Amino acid sequence: MSCWKRPGPAAGPFQARVGDGSLVTYSWYRFADQPALLNAALTAQEREDLQARVVKLHRNWTKDREYLAPPRWGNLPRSTRL
């Protein structure tokens, strides 16, 4: 059994065409079920605790708010693509 297949993705596969015309296939995993985290030295409970924190962040950190103070000097271009 591979960490890519067990527990496996939560959604997908999806396909998207990127800027150079290539077709990319991807799937969505729960944060705690990403293969890198499955291979980390975490217990199942530690991974579930991490998942709960990520869910809380996604619920409360909306894209319409500022989370870091703007720079005191210099210029950062604002992205028009979200």
Side-chain angles (χ1 to χ4, degrees):
M1 278 290 166
S2 163
C3 62
W4 293 94
K5 297 190 183 272
R6 188 172 181 180
F14 303 103
Q15 292 188 320
R17 196 152 306 272
V18 293
D20 68 357
S22 300
L23 187 63
V24 177
T25 302
Y26 64 96
S27 296
W28 286 105
Y29 288 79
R30 271 183 359 129
F31 189 83
D33 293 340
Q34 295 176 73
L37 286 174
L38 290 173
N39 289 312
L42 299 173
T43 66
Q45 186 59 54
E46 288 169 327
R47 283 193 310 104
E48 289 307 314
D49 291 345
L50 182 58
Q51 179 67 33
R53 288 178 186 218
V54 169
V55 168
K56 188 174 180 180
L57 282 173
H58 285 181
R59 189 179 307 124
N60 292 295
W61 286 19
T62 58
K63 65 182 179 181
D64 60 333
R65 293 177 43 202
E66 296 286 334
Y67 294 96
L68 296 173
R72 294 176 189 249
W73 65 87
N75 236 348
L76 288 177
R78 290 195 61 79
S79 174
T80 57
R81 297 174 64 186
L82 289 177

